[in-house]
């Protein structure tokens, strides 16, 4: 029984590593392709409800900006380290596969934009529109350590309409649902959190009680 348990723990650790490395690689591959093949703010139609739209931002998931850039980058690093430690504890405790995989996706998403912040300002130039970015010698890019811009690209404008003019505050305004532009790392966080809330609320609640 002990041998079987140790095998399961090794498989869980391997699964977490595969999710982390695999989706980090996909995230960076998509970002680098977009950055080196599209001009900033260029948009390419895939279908009526799916566009590849290249934007950059200094903020958190889905382009939101609330705090200083250096604070955000430091927060991402600390969050990733904490989640890695927490996942190691979960594996040692023998937690179920589903909850563990959700946490692995959240950790991957937290780490996903760190590379952009740390390195993109050092290795990419900042060309004038409509030129595309190119790799430059390390340290000669558009910014310094921690101040690289995060690349977003996925846009799903599912529905849009104009509010009736008689409505207070929003009357006559055009509304687009879903207007956020995001990347693979953002999607990892969202999928992990949604799966937690839908399927593992009891496990999450028990874990929070233990931590407190």
């Amino acid at each position: 029984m002990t041998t079987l348990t140790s095998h399961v723990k090794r498989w869980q650790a391997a699964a977490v590593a595969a999710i982390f490395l695999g989706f980090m690689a996909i995230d960076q591959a998509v970002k680098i392709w977009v950055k080196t093949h599209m001009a900033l703010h260029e948009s390419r139609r895939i279908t009526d409800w799916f566009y590849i739209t290249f934007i950059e931002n200094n903020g958190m998931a889905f382009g939101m900006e609330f705090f200083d850039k250096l604070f955000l980058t430091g927060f991402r690093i600390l969050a990733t380290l904490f989640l890695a430690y927490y996942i190691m504890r979960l594996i040692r405790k023998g937690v179920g596969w589903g909850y563990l995989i959700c946490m692995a996706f959240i950790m991957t998403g937290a780490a996903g934009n760190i590379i952009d912040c740390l390195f993109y300002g050092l290795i990419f130039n900042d060309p004038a529109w409509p030129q595309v970015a190119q790799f430059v010698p390390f340290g000669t890019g558009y910014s310094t350590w921690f101040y690289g811009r995060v690349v977003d690209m996925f846009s799903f404008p599912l529905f849009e309409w104009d509010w009736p003019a008689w409505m207070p505050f929003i009357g006559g305004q055009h509304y687009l649902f879903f207007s956020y532009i995001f990347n693979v790392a953002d999607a990892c966080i969202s999928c992990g959190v949604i799966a937690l809330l839908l399927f593992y609320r009891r496990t999450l609640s028990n874990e929070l009680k233990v931590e407190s």
Side-chain angles (χ1 to χ4, degrees):
M1 185 67 178
T2 303
T3 303
L4 179 61
T5 302
S6 63
H7 280 309
V8 171
K9 290 180 178 181
R10 283 198 291 269
W11 277 110
Q12 287 183 328
V16 170
I19 290 171
F20 183 81
L21 296 175
F23 279 90
M24 285 284 284
I26 293 170
D27 181 57
Q28 286 302 308
V30 173
K31 287 174 177 175
I32 291 172
W33 187 91
V34 167
K35 194 166 177 62
T36 57
H37 288 79
M38 297 177 65
L40 188 62
H41 302 301
E42 180 182 351
S43 184
R44 299 185 183 182
R45 177 184 175 274
I46 308 302
T47 70
D48 287 340
W49 48 267
F50 177 35
Y51 288 75
I52 302 295
T53 302
F54 174 27
I55 66 169
E56 292 182 314
N57 69 82
N58 294 317
M60 300 180 71
F62 300 103
M64 294 181 288
E65 298 187 16
F66 298 113
F67 302 104
D68 175 75
K69 175 71 173 181
L70 185 60
F71 173 85
L72 287 173
T73 305
F75 175 79
R76 287 192 184 104
I77 294 173
L78 291 176
T80 302
L81 292 174
F82 170 78
L83 287 168
Y85 167 74
Y86 179 58
I87 287 172
M88 290 172 58
R89 286 187 56 190
L90 292 176
I91 293 173
R92 287 197 296 266
K93 288 171 58 178
V95 73
W97 278 91
Y99 184 78
L100 183 67
I101 289 174
C102 289
M103 297 308 303
F105 272 103
I106 294 171
M107 179 184 69
T108 302
N113 294 326
I114 292 175
I115 294 176
D116 306 35
C117 298
L118 288 179
F119 298 112
Y120 277 22
L122 300 168
I123 62 175
F124 286 111
N125 65 349
D126 191 17
W129 193 89
Q131 296 178 333
V132 300
Q134 296 180 338
F135 285 103
V136 296
F138 189 86
T140 63
Y142 64 81
S143 189
T144 58
W145 290 98
F146 291 94
Y147 285 91
R149 297 190 293 267
V150 175
V151 175
D152 291 328
M153 75 293 296
F154 297 131
S155 174
F156 291 88
L158 300 177
F159 311 102
E160 57 182 321
W161 63 84
D162 294 317
W163 292 107
W166 55 265
M167 296 186 68
F169 304 112
I170 59 174
Q173 296 185 20
H174 185 76
Y175 183 78
L176 176 64
F177 178 91
F178 171 84
S179 61
Y180 292 109
I181 301 175
F182 60 97
N183 56 39
V184 174
D186 299 332
C188 286
I189 294 177
S190 297
C191 290
V193 170
I194 291 171
L196 277 180
L197 296 177
L198 287 178
F199 305 111
Y200 301 102
R201 281 180 294 181
R202 181 174 298 178
T203 305
L204 180 61
S205 177
N206 291 338
E207 286 292 322
L208 291 175
K209 288 178 182 178
V210 170
E211 291 296 323
S212 61

